[in-house]
Amino acid sequence: MLAAFVPTALGFWKTGYAVSYGYGGAMLAAGALALQAGASGLARWHALALVFYGVRLNAFLLWRELALPVEVHQMKQREASLGERLKRTPVVVGCSVLYFLMAQPLRITLAGGAEGKAAAAAVALAFVGFAVAALGDLQKSLTKAIRGSDHLVTGGIFRFLRHPNYTGEVFGWTASTVAAFCTGGAPVGLVAAALGWVGIMFVLAGEASIGLEKKQKDKYGGTPEYESWVKRSWAGPMFDPKGDN
């Protein structure tokens, strides 16, 4: 749990860091600790998937914050008193618990069990999902840096996926969880893994994807480019937690 909390505590410095550098740092720490513990076979590859995710995300965030305009990365510095920073504790703790649960599938594969083809395929698909997310993040940031923050990105991977960063993560974390269930383990561990999956799906397929879909529709809806793009692309798995139409 400490490995999830320490990186997420960056949220006391900047609120957004809890869900950015904290997110990547917690996944990196989980993977690194598993490797240090002697992970081998399937568990080693599972750990490397989380390390890949964490290193890639934090390297991307750092590059974006240092090299691109604030309008793109949106990590604005805000003055805050100690009391105001401490009010972020529920957010920091809540995110830490989520990240801890998201790493539970790795702890299951690390504990050992059946290492069949299904579990191996799931870990491989986790790498694919995280790679898709990485490509989406990079393409969108570069394009908006060159053409302006108001530019609608519809080429490359966005030709097929409207939100590849979220869709890639959805498939990546789903595959990671499937790997745990294919491996097997104690019921309490599997329940924890399932809770972590539900939590991140609520964030990615719910709040994040739905929010971006609505934002883009409000901003670009009715334009020929947007309407054509929507018809030929996939928004990815989505559900509206608020039940709005």
Side-chain angles (χ1 to χ4, degrees):
M1 185 64 192
L2 191 61
F5 177 77
V6 172
T8 312
L10 286 170
F12 289 117
W13 179 17
K14 287 186 180 181
T15 306
Y17 282 1
V19 294
S20 54
Y21 293 106
Y23 182 15
M27 297 302 106
L28 169 59
L33 287 174
L35 292 174
Q36 187 180 41
S40 61
L42 179 68
R44 178 176 177 80
W45 285 105
H46 202 168
L48 287 171
L50 268 64
V51 168
F52 166 74
Y53 178 83
V55 170
R56 191 287 304 179
L57 178 60
N58 281 3
F60 166 74
L61 291 169
L62 183 61
W63 165 77
R64 190 177 67 168
E65 189 170 358
L66 295 177
L68 301 182
V70 67
E71 291 78 12
V72 176
H73 63 71
Q74 297 182 348
M75 290 292 184
K76 299 178 181 178
Q77 179 69 49
R78 293 184 176 88
E79 295 297 327
S81 65
L82 177 60
E84 290 172 330
R85 293 181 190 279
L86 290 177
K87 288 180 181 178
R88 302 171 188 172
T89 299
V91 173
V92 171
V93 172
C95 288
S96 300
V97 171
L98 174 59
Y99 303 153
F100 175 79
L101 293 175
M102 288 172 63
Q104 178 61 24
L106 171 59
R107 289 187 285 272
I108 292 174
T109 56
L110 182 63
E115 293 191 7
K117 293 181 179 179
V123 170
L125 288 174
F127 273 103
V128 173
F130 295 153
V132 168
L135 180 58
D137 276 338
L138 183 61
Q139 182 187 341
K140 188 171 186 177
S141 291
L142 284 175
T143 303
K144 284 185 173 291
I146 295 171
R147 300 191 178 184
S149 59
D150 290 331
H151 179 76
L152 178 63
V153 184
T154 60
I157 194 171
F158 286 85
R159 178 178 178 83
F160 309 101
L161 301 173
R162 290 206 289 282
H163 318 302
N165 49 339
Y166 297 144
T167 303
E169 285 203 37
V170 164
F171 280 94
W173 293 120
T174 298
S176 176
T177 305
V178 168
F181 277 83
C182 290
T183 303
V188 65
L190 293 174
V191 169
L195 287 175
W197 179 81
V198 169
I200 195 59
M201 289 306 108
F202 181 86
V203 173
L204 295 172
E207 295 290 343
S209 294
I210 286 290
L212 184 55
E213 187 78 356
K214 290 180 178 179
K215 181 179 178 180
Q216 290 179 333
K217 185 175 181 179
D218 291 342
K219 190 171 185 177
Y220 306 106
T223 64
E225 182 183 20
Y226 174 81
E227 298 301 333
S228 174
W229 179 50
V230 168
K231 290 180 181 178
R232 70 171 187 266
S233 61
W234 183 41
M238 293 195 305
F239 71 93
D240 193 339
K242 298 178 181 178
D244 297 335
N245 295 323

